[in-house]
Amino acid sequence: MKRIPNNILPKFEKETGIKAKFISAYLSEKDKVMPGRKRCLSLEKASQKLGYNFTASDWMFNPDKIKQALINQTSPKDAA
C-alpha cells in the first residue's frame, strides 16, 4: 500500500501545531476520529499555504481523498 511521503505531514504540523502523528492517524484510520472545526480550519489554511486546495470540509468529511492526493502529490481537484 502506498504511503504519504514523509516530508509532507511535518510541514502541516509546523503550520498548524497539530502533531503529524495525529494527522497521519486521522488520514489512515478506518474509524475516523474527526478533528474539530477549528483544527479543520487551521488545516485548511495550512494546506492552502503549502499549495494544496484542501477545504475544511475536505478535512472533515473526505480524509481518503486528502490521503490519496498527498500520496499522488496532487490537489484534490486533480484527484476528483
Side-chain angles (χ1 to χ4, degrees), residues 2-15:
K2 286 185 165 183
R3 297 182 59 187
I4 298 171
N6 291 336
N7 63 340
I8 293 178
L9 293 181
K11 292 177 186 173
F12 280 98
E13 180 176 342
K14 188 176 167 203
E15 291 294 326

Side-chain angles (χ1 to χ4, degrees), residues 1-71:
M1 188 175 135
K2 286 185 165 183
R3 297 182 59 187
I4 298 171
N6 291 336
N7 63 340
I8 293 178
L9 293 181
K11 292 177 186 173
F12 280 98
E13 180 176 342
K14 188 176 167 203
E15 291 294 326
T16 62
I18 300 169
K19 296 275 181 235
K21 278 194 302 194
F22 173 82
I23 298 170
S24 174
Y26 170 65
L27 291 175
S28 61
E29 288 297 313
K30 292 291 177 251
D31 52 339
K32 305 278 186 263
V33 179
M34 189 182 298
R37 194 173 70 82
K38 280 187 175 179
R39 277 188 168 160
C40 286
L41 290 171
S42 64
L43 285 165
E44 176 183 17
K45 282 183 186 158
S47 55
Q48 289 172 350
K49 203 173 199 179
L50 295 171
Y52 299 99
N53 294 322
F54 306 137
T55 65
S57 64
D58 284 337
W59 282 102
M60 228 175 214
F61 304 116
N62 294 326
D64 295 331
K65 182 167 112 177
I66 290 176
K67 184 177 181 184
Q68 272 311 120
L70 290 176
I71 289 170

